[in-house]
Amino acid sequence: MSNPSVVPFLRYQDAPGAIEWLGKVFGFRPSVTVPGSHGGVGYARLTLGDAVIVLASVRPGEPYLRSALDLPAVSQGVFVVVEDLEAHYEQAVARGAEIVVEPETTPEGTRIYMAFDLEGQLWAFGDGFEVDD
């Protein structure tokens, strides 16, 4: 696996539950999970194809990193490129994801959909992502 240059990191009130949910609903697989010094998850790396995310439990000494449940709204999301958008969408719906945007085609021609996870983090999945040089 190559070293990605950008890796989203997220906090969850129930990080073990989030790891399980993200695997069951969106297909992420944990590659590393380290227990926290005060319980919960200190660090977890999850992968989906070439995509990598990092998550951990909310920590009392880090008020600047919260779960989306602690916020009135989210101001960012995670975009993940998947091989088969329609199959990914169907799996997410069948397993209980809250769909925010049904599959649609962007002006650039990318098929996407958006969903909230179990704690309200916003996820977008698409069948591609073009970067202009």
Side-chain angles (χ1 to χ4, degrees):
M1 175 182 268
S2 65
N3 290 320
S5 57
V6 175
V7 177
F9 62 98
L10 307 166
R11 289 291 192 263
Y12 287 90
Q13 289 179 4
D14 179 7
I19 292 168
E20 181 180 336
W21 193 94
L22 291 169
K24 180 180 82 168
V25 178
F26 292 154
F28 280 92
R29 301 284 178 252
S31 60
V32 175
T33 303
V34 177
S37 59
H38 301 297
V41 175
Y43 171 89
R45 182 172 52 233
L46 286 71
T47 61
L48 176 62
D50 291 337
V52 177
I53 65 164
V54 173
L55 65 84
S57 296
V58 171
R59 299 174 184 142
E62 295 179 343
Y64 47 86
L65 288 171
R66 308 302 320 158
S67 162
L69 289 176
D70 299 323
L71 307 172
V74 294
S75 64
Q76 60 193 7
V78 179
F79 185 94
V80 181
V81 176
V82 295
E83 194 169 306
D84 184 341
L85 181 82
E86 301 304 328
H88 194 272
Y89 167 78
E90 293 298 330
Q91 174 180 304
V93 168
R95 296 184 178 168
E98 179 184 347
I99 304 302
V100 178
V101 175
E102 296 289 332
E104 65 182 22
T105 303
T106 68
E108 296 82 22
T110 300
R111 295 276 300 152
I112 67 162
Y113 80 92
M114 293 182 175
F116 285 125
D117 70 17
L118 75 166
E119 289 197 16
Q121 299 281 7
L122 181 62
W123 294 81
F125 295 92
D127 63 4
F129 191 84
E130 296 293 324
V131 178
D132 295 331
D133 291 342

